[in-house]
Amino acid sequence: MRNVHRRTFILGGAAAASSIALPSAGATGVPATATSLPHDPFQLGVASGDPSADGFVLWTRLAPAPLNPDGRGGMPSSNVDVQWQVATDGNFANVVASGTTTATPASAHSVHVEVSGLDHSRFYHYRFRTDTTPSYLSPAGRTRTAPGPGVLANQLRFAVASCSHWEESWFHAFQQIADDSPDLVLFLGDYIYEFSTDKTTNVREYVDWGTDVVDTLAEYRLRYAQHRTDPALRAAHAAAPWAVVLDDHEVKNNWNNSTPSVSQRAQAFQAWYENMPVRAAQKPAGGTMTMHRRLGWGSLARFHMLDTRQYRSPQSVPDCNDGTRRMISANQEQWLLDGLATRPATWDFLGQQVFFADRDSDRDPNTCNGDDSWDGYRAQRSRISAGWVERGVPNPVVLTGDVHRHWAADLLANPYDPDSAHIGVELVATSVSSGGPYADPNNPNPRLPGHLPYVKYLHDRRGYIRCTATSEQVTAEFMQLSSTTEPDFAKVSVSPHARFVVPEGEKRLLRG
Ligand SMILES: [Fe+2]
């Protein structure tokens, strides 16, 4: 057991102020709030997200003492002006956008800058600097814009990841994602966990609150800060823009539209927003937020990011075939189907949280397994998949997290009829770290469920999916770590355990 004392994660030392001229404070009319900070406030790194054809959102959060128990990261209760720059080169010789924004205590001194007006389909570099004495310069991040509407990219390389419990394994998958330098990272939920485990295989510990679960704003904030003290996670954020949705553990295990309280949701959502590179459109208010959204990648791909938590009917609703029992809201369902009726791109990726393919173990269509998957919400699942069939969606690909194991499955018009039409595929990413060495220590080598012949792959290792989309095919490499307990990434190999190809127009998985 490798326990690392939490206090050792506080990184000291002041960053050297840059000699490169940055725009002066107040350039955007925001009144400067002069202050000083005791240490480098950029210990949580930088991030970018939700790229469009001409921009993205840039993120950082000031926290000179990330693990302070009050969740405020060692920041004073005053505003701090933060300057930002976007350049076409890593030396910031050619700055193409810059400005000043204000980090406020109400937002835990997080910064979200939405940049627009940039060139399509181009990589950029960005960084921040505090307007303090002394000033501090952030590490630089790399991000990019998407291709413009109608423009076909040669390829899109993206990672699909989820489920990063701090304690259960090292974040080597994040380091490999950083080393891959993808165009985009999809993170499909369980970025933090509200609970601590006491597994003997744990590699490190969450800050101990003396409670089993966290449920307050200060506690949630500290969770995110603790995660960002991990250099591999910071590297993955700095390497590429992310598109992020949350699942249950950013709030409470298996929550739905009836629990937890509005107050707890509001606090969890606030901390999530403060710590994620998402746009103001995703800013929570009154215990709700708009998480579902669409990202375009020219004429090659679209990502429909879903919210399967906030509006989910409780599993206590008895009949999963009941049409009113919903995984996503009625509005979101219509929004999804309306979007799928248009055809701007070859591939339609549904980025969502829980298992979509039929996994009902007894194959009884009248049995309602409330097991935190779409099996419990069959009527809506049928409406969605029949809806994309009716609309002639040529290449639907469902991308999923949550289950801490790699899975790949063909989607059938009738999962109970193996001869029915292929209507799409699902790629399920294992966890980055959750579950430890094995998701189920009692069953470390699960077999394919033989009675579900459309399930093509199942593997219990930590990792992520490395995808490459072209106009001809999507290639999915199911990456696995050789070790989850070895702390030194240099001693760990990360390699594809299986490779599948989805040829354009075929809606089925082939071994690649
Ligand atoms: Fe998880």
Side-chain angles (χ1 to χ4, degrees):
M1 184 170 172
R2 294 177 185 276
N3 289 324
V4 178
H5 196 280
R6 60 185 184 265
R7 297 300 171 198
T8 63
F9 284 108
I10 297 177
L11 309 174
S18 170
S19 60
I20 300 171
L22 287 165
S24 62
T28 57
V30 176
T33 306
T35 187
S36 62
L37 299 170
H39 300 290
D40 175 10
F42 291 111
Q43 296 176 44
L44 307 185
V46 298
S48 69
D50 281 21
S52 64
D54 75 338
F56 32 70
V57 59
L58 303 179
W59 173 94
T60 193
R61 179 183 160 202
L62 307 180
L67 301 187
N68 272 11
D70 62 5
R72 293 167 53 190
M75 287 296 291
S77 55
S78 55
N79 294 349
V80 175
D81 280 354
V82 179
Q83 302 159 13
W84 57 271
Q85 282 185 324
V86 175
T88 56
D89 63 306
N91 293 322
F92 290 83
N94 184 32
V95 173
V96 293
S98 60
T100 301
T101 188
T102 302
T104 69
S107 294
H109 292 93
S110 62
V111 163
H112 296 77
V113 178
E114 294 189 42
V115 184
S116 60
L118 302 176
D119 290 344
H120 299 177
S121 201
R122 181 162 193 170
F123 283 96
Y124 291 94
H125 302 264
Y126 62 95
R127 64 183 179 180
F128 301 90
R129 185 179 176 180
T130 60
D131 189 19
T132 54
T133 304
S135 66
Y136 296 89
L137 185 66
S138 79
R142 169 186 175 271
T143 189
R144 62 162 300 160
T145 53
V151 176
L152 179 63
N154 289 337
Q155 65 173 10
L156 162 62
R157 296 165 57 247
F158 64 96
V160 183
S162 73
C163 295
S164 39
H165 198 294
W166 173 264
E167 298 174 320
E168 295 185 305
S169 317
W170 297 105
F171 283 177
H172 296 317
F174 284 135
Q175 187 60 57
Q176 186 62 47
I177 288 171
D179 292 354
D180 289 346
S181 293
D183 297 299
L184 184 67
V185 177
L186 256 64
F187 192 87
L188 300 178
D190 293 354
Y191 189 100
I192 60 161
Y193 280 71
E194 85 288 12
F195 67 88
S196 224
T197 78
D198 56 1
K199 291 183 179 178
T200 56
T201 52
N202 279 358
V203 299
R204 52 187 174 181
E205 296 175 340
Y206 270 130
V207 170
D208 182 6
W209 290 94
T211 58
D212 290 337
V213 297
V214 300
D215 58 8
T216 68
L217 178 58
E219 293 169 336
Y220 289 126
R221 282 172 167 169
L222 183 54
R223 277 282 196 266
Y224 289 102
Q226 187 169 12
H227 276 237
R228 289 284 173 75
T229 61
D230 187 287
L233 178 54
R234 290 200 306 276
H237 276 294
W242 287 37
V244 185
V245 289
L246 61 70
D247 193 20
D248 54 337
H249 293 292
E250 289 90 343
V251 182
K252 180 185 180 183
N253 187 37
N254 284 348
W255 67 285
N256 56 48
N257 71 359
S258 67
T259 181
S261 68
V262 171
S263 168
Q264 185 177 344
R265 283 174 200 229
Q267 294 176 77
F269 291 176
Q270 174 69 18
W272 180 82
Y273 173 77
E274 289 170 353
N275 288 281
M276 290 296 129
V278 291
R279 294 177 182 268
Q282 278 64 60
K283 190 170 187 174
T288 66
M289 65 175 170
T290 304
M291 190 164 64
H292 67 280
R293 59 202 191 275
R294 206 169 267 129
L295 303 177
W297 207 266
S299 62
L300 182 60
R302 267 192 308 182
F303 294 90
H304 310 263
M305 307 299 287
L306 303 186
D307 177 353
T308 64
R309 278 293 163 195
Q310 204 175 170
Y311 306 100
R312 182 187 300 197
S313 307
Q315 292 171 352
S316 58
V317 173
D319 183 2
C320 57
N321 293 301
D322 182 336
T324 64
R325 183 178 157 116
R326 293 190 175 92
M327 182 71 89
I328 62 176
S329 67
N331 285 343
Q332 194 182 157
E333 180 182 331
Q334 195 60 52
W335 165 88
L336 176 62
L337 292 175
D338 288 349
L340 290 170
T342 64
R343 197 74 61 241
T346 300
W347 300 96
D348 280 293
F349 295 103
L350 278 65
Q352 57 98 46
Q353 292 85 348
V354 291
F355 211 94
F356 190 85
D358 196 296
R359 206 176 41 161
D360 188 349
S361 58
D362 59 10
R363 302 190 67 192
D364 177 357
N366 297 312
T367 300
C368 190
N369 286 343
D371 62 351
D372 197 17
S373 79
W374 283 88
D375 277 348
Y377 301 80
R378 289 202 188 103
Q380 188 175 50
R381 178 173 61 185
S382 295
R383 289 198 300 273
I384 290 171
S385 57
W388 80 51
V389 171
E390 284 167 18
R391 286 158 181 77
V393 179
N395 296 293
V397 177
V398 179
L399 302 173
T400 305
D402 183 57
V403 288
H404 306 178
R405 281 175 174 167
H406 280 317
W407 293 74
D410 288 330
L411 301 174
L412 303 181
N414 178 0
Y416 302 100
D417 175 5
D419 296 324
S420 68
H422 286 244
I423 61 170
V425 302
E426 181 176 21
L427 309 174
V428 182
T430 190
S431 62
V432 166
S433 58
S434 306
Y438 302 108
D440 179 359
N442 297 318
N443 186 21
N445 296 301
R447 293 184 176 180
L448 281 175
H451 60 292
L452 303 176
Y454 50 86
V455 175
K456 304 298 184 187
Y457 178 58
L458 167 58
H459 188 58
D460 187 356
R461 294 290 188 279
R462 311 289 67 77
Y464 66 101
I465 307 175
R466 187 162 67 186
C467 289
T468 305
T470 69
S471 57
E472 280 92 40
Q473 64 185 36
V474 167
T475 304
E477 295 177 295
F478 288 85
M479 307 295 285
Q480 66 163 355
L481 308 181
S482 61
S483 171
T484 56
T485 53
E486 165 57 54
D488 184 357
F489 180 69
K491 296 177 181 174
V492 175
S493 66
V494 190
S495 57
H497 178 263
R499 183 182 284 107
F500 285 88
V501 168
V502 186
E504 195 280 325
E506 295 209 12
K507 306 185 188 73
R508 71 176 69 223
L509 294 160
L510 303 177
R511 278 276 182 175

